Amino acid sequence: MLTATDACDGMPTVDFTETLSDDDDCASNYTLLRTWTATDDCGNATTHQQTLTVVDETAPTWTTELPADTTVSCDAIPAAAILSATDNCDESLDTDLSHSDVLIEGCNAGTYTIERTWTITAEDHCQNEAMTSCVQTITVQDNDAPVLSGGDSYPAECDGAGNMTELNAWLGNNAGITATDCGEVTWSNNFAGLSDLCGATGAADVTFTAQDCNGNSDSITLTFTIEDTTAPPASADAEVSVPCDEYSDQDAYGDFMASDACGGVTVTIQDLAASGACAGSYMRTYTITDDCNNVTTVNQITNLTDEVAPTF
């Protein structure tokens, strides 16, 4: 509101006009030409002009709370927040709100960092573009031990050589135990050897441990056992003849065979009383026992012969 004075007219009239100059495509940036005209009673006039150039140099601002940095477990990664923004000059702002994630690898698939960036780009009608952004760092940690399941103890029939094929396969497959974790796990076991049971049999309690790269671990203990449940193979001639003066109740006659794949055998002989004419005939039973007390029996008829004349 301007006022003016005049030498002849104590209070000249002051008129005010304002002219706006803009581009039809640029509503936020424009120019105001303000003109004041002081006129006395005789029509003498004085003017004053002010030019105001209006520009939008302020970036959009967020109207929602920005997400803070956080540390989470691998199964609790937060969803991206929905953010909004406003602009100080243009209510009909053309905005493009987007977010992107950059993953920074850690020691395994369950430990890493997400840099989540929200960007809002605002363009006014004068094609002036403003951009603002925020970054949230999400640290993903694996604080949980692997979850173990399955697995079987292993009974192997003794092969006399330590059953190395079965043992190595059992150890190499971690006894069939499976581990569920955010990432890969490292397996180990404490197998040191088999105890001595009987023959070439043995057993061991083995603890299998799965550990992730953050040091979280869990264990399961299972048993590997070499068993001998097989009777030793044995055979003998069904019937033999032995001179009576060569007979012994401790010797095997004919084609007798007894063995065991897992250890040694003990053979005991039992003869029933002799019967029949002349020297007689025995029903002989061979009992074969291996080191693990598996037993096989074989029967044989032993005929004693006497072909030597008596002597004086």
Side-chain angles (χ1 to χ4, degrees):
M1 299 295 296
L2 301 184
T3 60
T5 62
D6 186 74
C8 294
D9 186 350
M11 186 64 67
T13 301
V14 179
D15 296 318
F16 170 75
T17 61
E18 184 178 75
T19 303
L20 185 147
S21 299
D22 64 355
D23 187 332
D24 291 341
D25 294 328
C26 182
S28 295
N29 289 357
Y30 54 91
T31 300
L32 289 175
L33 179 61
R34 290 177 173 172
T35 302
W36 291 264
T37 302
T39 307
D40 62 16
D41 291 339
C42 296
N44 302 305
T46 300
T47 63
H48 172 73
Q49 289 185 326
Q50 178 191 36
T51 301
L52 292 88
T53 302
V54 181
V55 294
D56 181 4
E57 297 178 340
T58 304
T61 57
W62 299 109
T63 57
T64 52
E65 183 178 356
L66 301 183
D69 293 347
T70 184
T71 298
V72 299
S73 178
C74 61
D75 57 355
I77 299 172
I82 299 176
L83 304 183
S84 60
T86 186
D87 190 72
N88 64 323
C89 287
D90 198 341
E91 294 182 359
S92 59
L93 196 67
D94 293 330
T95 58
D96 180 16
L97 178 65
S98 62
H99 83 275
S100 61
D101 289 348
V102 175
L103 189 147
I104 302 172
E105 294 183 356
C107 66
N108 67 10
T111 303
Y112 53 92
T113 300
I114 299 173
E115 288 188 353
R116 178 167 289 169
T117 302
W118 284 264
T119 301
I120 185 166
T121 302
E123 183 176 304
D124 61 24
H125 294 107
C126 298
Q127 287 75 51
N128 297 312
E129 186 175 78
M131 182 178 71
T132 187
S133 64
C134 73
V135 178
Q136 179 190 30
T137 299
I138 302 171
T139 302
V140 182
Q141 293 184 344
D142 181 4
N143 297 319
D144 299 322
V147 178
L148 304 186
S149 60
D152 294 298
S153 294
Y154 192 93
E157 186 65 22
C158 180
D159 64 2
N163 294 82
M164 296 307 298
T165 298
E166 292 90 346
L167 177 59
N168 290 335
W170 188 73
L171 294 173
N173 191 40
N174 302 309
I177 304 169
T178 59
T180 302
D181 195 71
C182 291
E184 298 295 327
V185 299
T186 301
W187 287 94
S188 61
N189 65 71
N190 66 344
F191 177 75
L194 296 169
S195 62
D196 292 328
L197 297 178
C198 58
T201 66
D205 292 331
V206 182
T207 299
F208 294 88
T209 301
Q211 178 172 300
D212 61 27
C213 69
N214 293 290
N216 307 304
S217 64
D218 196 11
S219 300
I220 291 179
T221 299
L222 298 170
T223 302
F224 184 89
T225 306
I226 299 177
E227 302 175 338
D228 182 8
T229 61
T230 304
S235 62
D237 290 338
E239 187 171 356
V240 295
S241 295
V242 179
C244 62
D245 57 347
E246 297 178 8
Y247 165 76
S248 168
D249 61 3
Q250 299 299 315
D251 295 328
Y253 295 115
D255 293 329
F256 174 78
M257 182 280 298
S259 64
D260 189 72
C262 195
V265 295
T266 301
V267 180
T268 58
I269 299 174
Q270 182 180 17
D271 286 338
L272 297 179
S275 62
C278 193
S281 177
Y282 287 90
M283 174 57 73
R284 166 167 287 195
T285 300
Y286 296 96
T287 302
I288 303 94
T289 306
D290 65 18
D291 292 339
C292 296
N293 294 319
N294 301 298
V295 177
T296 300
T297 59
V298 177
N299 293 322
Q300 181 184 69
I301 297 174
T302 303
N303 297 312
L304 300 184
T305 61
D306 182 2
E307 298 177 354
V308 178
T311 57
F312 290 102

